[in-house]
Amino acid sequence: MSALAQAKWRGRLRVGLPSGPWRQPVVVVGTTIAALSLLLSAIGPWIVSDPLAQDAAPLLAPSTAHWFGTDELGRDVFSRVIAGTRTSVPLTLVLVFGAMSIGALLGAVAGYFGKWWDEVIMRVVDLFFAFPLTILAMAIAASLGPSLRNAVIAGIVARWPAFARVVRGAMLQARTADYVSAARLLGASPRRILAVEIARNVSGPLIVLGALEVATGMLLLSGLSFLGLGAQPPTPEWGAMVSEGSKHLAEWWVAGFPGMAILGVAVAFNVVGDALRDMLDPDTRAETEAGR
Amino acid sequence: MPGEPRARRAGRHAALGRFVARRAAGGLLLVIGITFVAFVLSNLVPADPATAALGDRASGDPEIVAAFKERYGLDEPLPVQYVNYLGRLVQGDFGPSSQTGQSVSDDLSAAIPATAELALVAIVLTLVFGIVLGTLAAIHRGRWFDQIVRVVTLLGASAPSFWLALIAFYLFFFKLGWAPPGGRLDAQEAMPPEVTGLVTVDALLNGRFATFWSALWHLLLPSFVLAAYSVSFMVRFTRSAVLEVLGSDYVLSAYAKGLPKRKVIFGHVLRAALPSVITLTGLAFATLLSGTVLVESIFSWPGIGEYAYLSSTALDLNAVMGVSIFIAVVYVIVNLVVDLLYGVVDPRIRVTG
Amino acid sequence: MRLNDVAGLRRVGTRAVALVAIGAAAFAIGACGSESDRPTGAAGASGGDAPAAKGSDTLVWAKSFDVESLDPARLHEVTGSIVTSVLYDRLMTFVGDEPTPSPMLAESYEASRDQRTFTFKLREDAVFSDGTPVTSADVVFSFRRLRNLNAAPSYLAAGIRAVEAPDRATVVIEMSEPTPGLPALVASSNFSVLNAKLVKQNGGDDSKAAVKRDTAQKFLDKTSAGSGQYTLDGYDRRSRITLAANDDYWGTAAGFRRIILKNVPTENQLLEVQKGTAQLALDLSPSQVKNVRGDVRLTTGPSVTFFFLTANTDKAVSATAADSDVQEAIRYGIDYDNLVQLVGDGAVQTPGILPSTIAGHLPADQAIRRDVERAKAALARSGIDNPKLELEYPSDFTLNGLSFGTIAQRLQSQLREVGLELELKPGPLATTLDNWRGGREQLGLWTQTPNSPAPYDFLSFCPGGDHAVRVNWDKGADATLTGACEQAAQTPLDDTAALDENFGAVQTQLNESGPFFPLFQPAQVVASASWVTNIRFSNSYFVDLAQIGHE
């Protein structure tokens, strides 16, 4: 579109057209899927038939009656996949917000107060990072007992260090930034400046990591459910559905479609996260990649 | 460095020594902390490990339960158990596994080489494919090769590994017959005499070339699946690192000076990206170890990941602790090595870090 | 700003790609073209992982390993018991699916009047794999060790007061209680007869202090010290167990020269049998084999394990569960046929608390049939508004490919139809087992696999028995039933008519009222290559490996 045409359209819509990183087709598709998953998690149950009903013949191939076929108990896989958004997506968001809150708080404390606080908190962060992700989450979920709630708790405990590190880094930068000292010299109130600068510095990486962590969280939750430590039957959850379907690999649709759902949502949020990073925080691309 | 005054060289060595010492001390503290966390975790379990290990009927017999508890030291108060555990740990004794009655150290020494072999191949794949594809994608930026690489790595970074493993096994073994069934070797193939525990290496050391090829063939599919996630990250990372450098002033001025292009790429571009690649490899290692839990069982790979999962569900406390501690220690060592290499490559870190 | 020598860079790139391609090709040629190393003597087995040819002397068995030890005095899980059933011999054995035991190392036995003392006469020609003869001293050693090791299966020998060997070929076992089922008990893999001299040389101990002194487990996990058809050739606990035919076996020769157990997760077993890389798979469920293709033979039969529902009789735990009207509602509200259908071809409803493969079981026509009206009426009589119960079950445990969750969900929807609401409470096996043993479950879903396929074990469902105390059903709760149980407990094993009559009475009473609801026996499916012959299910050892052969 020519610059003139763009300007005209912007004027009419009063809203920005996709620009920069948001213009690429991959990103558009990704954002759409992400939005769709959120939408379905809200209205899902009303638009599909009962995911728990066991009234069809088991292990039917996909057909016009059952778009994704049926599973070993005769349940419609399509309904279960759509209903699964209700389970997987909101809980992943809870996981991310939980980890973000704890992580951001501790990271901010570490970065702001420094010295002793910093040492202790960062050592704890290192401690948690030393446990490979799945094993830590698995140990926690196994100790607490398998349920979706405990899997989410396990996920929060496992992922808060990632946020803590990012926030601490941003906090340190903000504290020592030149413009802070400069503004202080000019007589502005230190607290106010700090608050504004911190918010500006931290919010970017935090939002980016949040989006990317939705993808990681989704994989973690479904992984735990696959092992039997997360969602319990008959709850339709994608990881648990893949596990059930693994006993019937020849009937590929039982495990295939839920897996594709996980893949789709993870891809979507990865893409959104990348685009957000390009928009908000392009310099830290390497850092964010490394920090996960 | 030649010509350097001795005092200065000594000073540099001292700085490096202090650096290593600091990091090692930190690592040790970390390991102790890990043992504590592992201990707490494995004792959070609400159920009685004796019931789990003995089965329904046996756990009704108080004599059997008492013998079990005595054998595994479960009748002492918790702090005492922890101290005893640390004491034995220092001697390399992880205690007996309540699943088998054999020592966890034995179980681990059997399981570790299997995962090590898998992880090593996966790391090699990560580095080779990651760096090569990433560099190529950066060079051919915007063209079809780059687009394909970006889409594929996006999928690889977002796919659930357990699902990928199932599909890969079904497709490549059952449908296409290109891959062998699970396991490190075929059922009928004799394992080579054990030297390192790595079947490929042991086979070579004993001149069993056919076994070597077979072991390698069995390694392929599981390591590919395991590496999918980290390869994707490595490619994307390398690509952006190379892109950054390609557009930098240093490179342009090198070209302007007339330096051969190949030399520029290999000389400067890759060297500039090296420190970050090293860090990323360390992280990739952690991701790989983490991924083994989900992937190993599907390929009947008798490694640590599967062992960790089986021990968690069987509430085998000694085994769970043993695995957690071992993995954490490995991670600490890998991080130490990465930090060291980083320090060697980037001297600024040594002084300040 | 574009670099103007990107073309040069691209040449570098193309060359790199070419190198990789050549490397891959070389590798592929190397891998496919080579023959794997094979130990000599495996006649007929072809290269690599190509399917084994018909008539091969090696049997590859794909099994999901749960093996913890091959020491008969320590093992208590399926894989171990099947393997030791052909590594060792026993006094008596179960041939195929026969409900009563046959002589093995013992030629005959005599039971005292009070069913307390059993005298076994050993055969003279049995020898261990190292050539030494099997004597009564070996039997005494093995049984004493089983009891004194205080390991998981020791409770099986708890009732043995003394084991004596008056001479080389006689063993006298004295029980502390009348135990008509002893001949069946000594047929279990845990009562395998070990080569006492060999085991003692390697740390074995059968004294009262065996718990501390015995160190033979490590040895027994590597070498078999038995007199069976096969010997242990290799043992890698998590991936492979190799059995080699015993050429000096005193009885019928082994059907294969080698049996190799390979650890394969359940979901991949059928794929391997179809592909030919394995020739035997035991963990499959009927629904998994429904669409099987290829050169695969399926053998199905009912398992000896049966699923049952329990209701707690303690009002303090749950007044609803303890209510006899609610119990009647459950009994007649379950749709047994629907469950059997769900579980798959070859499954059967369990007519009473004795499975259909055990001597003394009820005939199928006496099993409970669903009666929705009766169930609803019973629920109404109970006077409880909106009755709700929690159903606990292990979430991580599968049997024959069947998961408890699947059944629990079906039960939930069935009982909902008669007005009883179930809340599903899954948990890891360790936790649910704990609750079950502690008598805290409102409703429980469990399985029972007998220690020995004799009916006496199932009297644990009588008031005061092992199962009954788990639902807090104490001995005094039902005098008539207790009387019938005591009579059944004394019936000798070889008196089939009396077994049917006495055990029939017990089961009929339990079917009328009580906190136990037998559901079904799942089907066992064995998938094998079509040239493997004589696959017979066994109550004791799951599949009678001793009978297996090939065309």
Side-chain angles (χ1 to χ4, degrees):
Chain A
M1 243 188 220
S2 75
L4 188 57
Q6 272 193 34
K8 251 199 342 198
W9 273 107
R10 258 197 217 119
R12 288 218 193 131
L13 295 175
R14 292 180 192 284
V15 100
L17 274 179
S19 64
W22 298 99
R23 247 217 237 152
Q24 302 169 50
V26 178
V27 179
V28 170
V29 171
T31 321
T32 317
I33 296 178
L36 190 66
S37 66
L38 290 172
L39 182 68
L40 283 177
S41 66
I43 68 165
W46 284 279
I47 61 170
V48 292
S49 49
D50 186 5
L52 300 181
Q54 302 176 5
D55 40 2
L59 300 174
L60 291 173
S63 62
T64 41
H66 298 278
W67 292 354
F68 286 0
T70 61
D71 69 5
E72 69 171 7
L73 286 182
R75 296 179 291 209
D76 180 28
V77 176
F78 180 71
S79 310
R80 283 178 72 77
V81 169
I82 301 292
T85 45
R86 195 130 218 253
T87 321
S88 308
V89 175
L91 284 176
T92 310
L93 292 177
V94 167
L95 197 162
V96 171
F97 280 123
M100 192 189 282
S101 317
I102 298 179
L105 183 64
L106 289 175
V109 166
Y112 186 72
F113 292 108
K115 294 198 188 73
W116 189 77
W117 286 104
D118 190 21
E119 271 302 309
V120 168
I121 292 180
M122 280 304 116
R123 287 310 128 238
V124 175
V125 166
D126 284 342
L127 191 66
F128 276 89
F129 263 117
F131 270 89
L133 188 53
T134 319
I135 293 179
L136 177 63
M138 185 176 69
I140 297 174
S143 320
L144 297 177
S147 73
L148 266 180
R149 187 197 64 163
N150 290 338
V152 173
I153 293 176
I156 292 178
V157 171
R159 292 312 290 168
W160 71 261
F163 287 98
R165 257 197 199 165
V166 164
V167 170
R168 171 194 179 260
M171 190 65 99
L172 282 179
Q173 269 196 346
R175 257 179 64 195
T176 58
D178 290 340
Y179 47 76
V180 174
S181 335
R184 227 188 264 173
L185 280 175
L186 287 174
S189 143
R191 208 163 288 171
R192 190 170 177 242
I193 298 169
L194 214 48
V196 168
E197 287 313 318
I198 287 172
R200 262 225 299 216
N201 227 9
V202 165
S203 58
L206 202 57
I207 293 176
V208 170
L209 190 61
L212 294 171
E213 279 293 308
V214 173
T216 315
M218 169 78 58
L219 294 177
L220 184 62
L221 263 189
S222 58
L224 285 176
S225 297
F226 175 78
L227 292 175
L229 297 171
Q232 299 301 312
T235 317
E237 197 276 343
W238 295 331
M241 287 163 69
V242 172
S243 173
E244 283 165 18
S246 71
K247 300 189 216 110
H248 309 270
L249 285 178
E251 285 85 24
W252 55 270
W253 53 91
V254 186
F257 287 111
M260 281 189 241
I262 303 174
L263 176 66
V265 174
V267 163
F269 279 93
N270 265 330
V271 161
V272 168
D274 275 351
L276 281 173
R277 179 176 48 209
D278 286 345
M279 187 172 87
L280 296 173
D281 200 19
D283 314 312
T284 63
R285 184 184 194 102
E287 272 172 46
T288 344
E289 296 268 0
R292 294 170 67 187
Chain B
M1 279 164 238
E4 194 183 10
R6 193 171 296 169
R8 196 132 63 109
R9 205 182 310 160
R12 259 196 318 110
H13 289 170
L16 190 60
R18 274 201 298 275
F19 176 74
V20 172
R22 243 201 318 264
R23 283 283 187 269
L28 189 62
L29 277 176
L30 203 54
V31 171
I32 294 178
I34 285 161
T35 61
F36 186 70
V37 172
F39 187 76
V40 167
L41 270 183
S42 48
N43 279 290
L44 265 183
V45 175
D48 185 3
T51 318
L54 294 174
D56 199 14
R57 291 288 292 270
S59 35
D61 185 337
E63 257 186 46
I64 296 181
V65 175
F68 180 87
K69 290 207 161 156
E70 203 191 313
R71 192 178 192 202
Y72 296 100
L74 294 175
D75 45 357
E76 314 259 6
L78 280 182
V80 177
Q81 282 188 44
Y82 182 57
V83 172
N84 287 343
Y85 185 81
L86 281 183
R88 286 195 299 263
L89 197 58
V90 172
Q91 300 173 36
D93 176 14
F94 285 99
S97 154
S98 59
Q99 289 175 83
T100 62
Q102 301 303 299
S103 76
V104 169
S105 336
D106 284 347
D107 284 341
L108 278 180
S109 26
I112 287 166
T115 304
E117 218 177 357
L118 200 56
L120 281 173
V121 176
I123 290 258
V124 167
L125 288 175
T126 305
L127 286 173
V128 167
F129 278 91
I131 296 178
V132 167
L133 286 180
T135 314
L136 287 179
I139 294 171
H140 298 252
R141 175 200 190 163
R143 296 163 137 246
W144 62 267
F145 182 77
D146 183 29
Q147 304 282 25
I148 290 183
V149 163
R150 290 177 70 193
V151 168
V152 168
T153 54
L154 181 61
L155 293 175
S158 320
S161 52
F162 51 91
W163 184 70
L164 215 54
L166 286 173
I167 290 185
F169 186 78
Y170 181 67
L171 191 60
F172 292 106
F173 163 64
F174 189 63
K175 280 290 184 184
L176 296 173
W178 293 353
R184 300 174 79 183
L185 285 177
D186 274 340
Q188 323 218 22
E189 293 175 295
M191 293 275 278
E194 183 168 330
V195 179
T196 60
L198 304 176
V199 181
T200 43
V201 173
D202 291 344
L204 281 180
L205 290 177
N206 283 285
R208 304 252 192 103
F209 295 110
T211 310
F212 170 74
W213 284 118
S214 175
L216 208 54
W217 189 32
H218 279 80
L219 271 168
L220 268 192
L221 197 55
S223 4
F224 260 107
V225 171
L226 194 59
Y229 194 72
S230 46
V231 164
S232 305
F233 266 100
M234 189 63 88
V235 168
R236 301 173 87 204
F237 180 79
T238 311
R239 179 183 175 277
S240 54
V242 169
L243 274 180
E244 240 181 77
V245 176
L246 277 181
S248 74
D249 295 339
Y250 181 93
V251 171
L252 290 174
S253 60
Y255 275 104
K257 276 202 265 185
L259 286 173
K261 296 86 184 178
R262 214 156 300 168
K263 242 196 189 165
V264 174
I265 287 285
F266 290 121
H268 182 76
V269 171
L270 290 178
R271 187 139 41 102
L274 195 59
S276 319
V277 168
I278 292 174
T279 317
L280 207 60
T281 312
L283 288 161
F285 200 74
T287 319
L288 288 174
L289 281 185
S290 172
T292 56
V293 176
L294 296 163
V295 168
E296 276 183 357
S297 338
I298 295 172
F299 291 101
S300 311
W301 205 265
I304 305 181
E306 196 200 31
Y307 187 66
Y309 172 57
L310 292 174
S311 311
S312 302
T313 44
L315 297 184
D316 188 343
L317 304 182
N318 281 335
V320 171
M321 287 186 67
V323 171
S324 315
I325 292 169
F326 172 75
I327 291 182
V329 167
V330 166
Y331 190 70
V332 165
I333 294 178
V334 167
N335 266 345
L336 194 60
V337 169
V338 164
D339 276 349
L340 275 177
L341 286 177
Y342 207 92
V344 163
V345 172
D346 190 345
R348 294 173 295 175
I349 307 297
R350 249 180 284 158
V351 175
T352 61
Chain C
M1 195 186 278
R2 285 203 150 250
L3 298 170
N4 54 12
D5 195 21
V6 180
L9 297 175
R10 288 208 193 115
R11 276 201 296 277
V12 173
T14 334
R15 265 179 228 177
V17 171
L19 269 176
V20 170
I22 291 172
F27 173 74
I29 293 171
C32 299
S34 59
E35 276 255 326
S36 306
D37 294 307
R38 187 124 319 125
T40 51
S46 41
D49 43 77
K54 216 176 179 132
S56 166
D57 269 342
T58 306
L59 178 73
V60 177
W61 169 17
K63 176 89 184 72
S64 175
F65 275 24
D66 56 355
V67 62
E68 298 170 6
S69 175
L70 292 182
D71 180 346
R74 288 193 198 276
L75 68 91
H76 61 288
E77 29 61 39
V78 176
T79 315
S81 81
I82 305 179
V83 170
T84 48
S85 76
V86 289
L87 291 178
Y88 297 88
D89 287 331
R90 305 159 286 287
L91 283 181
M92 308 284 289
T93 191
F94 283 93
V95 176
D97 52 6
E98 289 170 14
T100 48
S102 319
M104 197 180 205
L105 285 176
E107 280 181 333
S108 63
Y109 73 90
E110 249 180 49
S112 70
R113 208 71 192 297
D114 61 357
Q115 306 272 10
R116 274 220 178 111
T117 313
F118 291 82
T119 312
F120 290 88
K121 276 231 141 337
L122 300 179
R123 57 187 310 145
E124 307 276 334
D125 59 346
V127 289
F128 286 112
S129 50
D130 63 356
T132 56
V134 179
T135 66
S136 53
D138 299 300
V139 180
V140 169
F141 172 80
S142 310
F143 288 12
R144 281 199 189 142
R145 181 169 180 267
L146 173 63
R147 188 187 55 192
N148 292 335
L149 260 187
N150 269 343
S154 294
Y155 69 91
L156 291 170
I160 298 181
R161 182 184 284 162
V163 190
E164 302 297 337
D167 61 55
R168 262 178 72 104
T170 315
V171 177
V172 177
I173 305 179
E174 202 187 302
M175 307 296 290
S176 42
E177 304 259 326
T179 317
L182 184 71
L185 188 63
V186 297
S188 99
S189 294
N190 291 111
F191 283 88
S192 295
V193 176
L194 308 170
N195 186 338
K197 193 149 170 236
L198 188 58
V199 175
K200 277 198 251 202
Q201 271 170 2
N202 286 280
D205 187 287
D206 66 338
S207 70
K208 288 267 182 233
V211 187
K212 296 203 163 55
R213 294 224 197 115
D214 183 283
T215 54
Q217 184 189 353
K218 223 172 174 152
F219 170 71
L220 288 172
D221 280 346
K222 280 212 281 295
T223 327
S224 60
S227 56
Q229 271 187 350
Y230 292 87
T231 56
L232 186 60
D233 201 22
Y235 176 70
D236 183 349
R237 178 178 80 91
R238 293 178 61 200
S239 50
R240 196 193 302 185
I241 301 177
T242 315
L243 310 178
N246 178 4
D247 289 321
D248 300 318
Y249 189 53
W250 54 268
T252 331
F256 285 91
R257 297 241 24 99
R258 271 196 323 162
I259 296 183
I260 304 176
L261 281 88
K262 187 162 86 142
N263 190 3
V264 177
T266 319
E267 52 262 21
N268 298 345
Q269 285 176 14
L270 187 58
L271 297 180
E272 288 218 28
V273 174
Q274 285 181 266
K275 230 18 198 194
T277 54
Q279 289 86 48
L280 188 66
L282 300 186
D283 301 325
L284 301 168
S285 70
S287 64
Q288 282 176 293
V289 299
K290 244 202 305 200
N291 302 320
V292 73
R293 263 153 294 176
D295 188 29
V296 176
R297 170 186 293 162
L298 297 175
T299 319
T300 53
S303 160
V304 71
T305 305
F306 75 102
F307 279 73
F308 59 96
L309 203 58
T310 69
N312 209 309
T313 61
D314 187 350
K315 288 198 168 44
V317 173
S318 166
T320 315
D323 187 296
S324 56
D325 290 316
V326 173
Q327 288 175 2
E328 185 181 337
I330 296 176
R331 183 165 277 112
Y332 288 95
I334 298 175
D335 189 348
Y336 301 92
D337 290 333
N338 183 266
L339 277 180
V340 168
Q341 230 179 38
L342 165 70
V343 172
D345 285 328
V348 297
Q349 179 183 1
T350 309
I353 45 112
L354 256 58
S356 61
T357 49
I358 302 284
H361 64 92
L362 280 181
D365 55 10
Q366 289 189 29
I368 307 259
R369 296 252 95 79
R370 188 188 209 199
D371 190 336
V372 175
E373 293 314 313
R374 181 167 175 176
K376 283 187 178 162
L379 213 52
R381 271 202 312 276
S382 73
I384 303 178
D385 264 333
N386 291 332
K388 281 185 72 144
L389 284 172
E390 286 176 1
L391 172 58
E392 280 192 55
Y393 61 91
S395 60
D396 51 4
F397 190 66
T398 57
L399 198 71
N400 286 1
L402 197 55
S403 85
F404 279 65
T406 315
I407 302 159
Q409 292 168 59
R410 196 47 82 87
L411 283 172
Q412 184 189 43
S413 63
Q414 287 174 359
L415 287 175
R416 191 177 279 147
E417 287 169 20
V418 305
L420 179 59
E421 193 59 40
L422 293 188
E423 184 193 325
L424 300 186
K425 274 189 66 178
L429 181 60
T431 323
T432 30
L433 206 50
D434 215 40
N435 289 342
W436 164 236
R437 284 200 56 243
R440 292 185 289 270
E441 288 188 343
Q442 294 184 6
L443 287 186
L445 178 63
W446 289 103
T447 60
Q448 166 69 343
T449 311
N451 295 314
S452 62
Y456 313 97
D457 261 5
F458 296 91
L459 295 174
S460 57
F461 287 96
C462 291
D466 281 347
H467 280 96
V469 298
R470 305 275 155 85
V471 295
N472 303 307
W473 205 27
D474 298 314
K475 194 146 191 196
D478 189 331
T480 338
L481 183 53
T482 309
C485 292
E486 276 168 9
Q487 178 146 28
Q490 292 167 24
T491 326
L493 188 55
D494 39 18
D495 188 349
T496 4
L499 281 179
D500 283 338
E501 188 183 318
N502 295 339
F503 279 93
V506 171
Q507 292 175 79
T508 316
Q509 277 198 53
L510 280 173
N511 272 355
E512 273 166 27
S513 70
F516 296 113
F517 313 94
L519 298 174
F520 58 86
Q521 290 146 253
Q524 291 181 126
V525 176
V526 171
S528 61
S530 60
W531 49 265
V532 175
T533 58
N534 213 10
I535 298 174
R536 294 179 65 184
F537 287 110
S538 163
N539 278 331
S540 264
Y541 329 111
F542 287 81
V543 166
D544 196 350
L545 267 192
Q547 310 283 320
I548 272 188
H550 59 85
E551 286 169 8

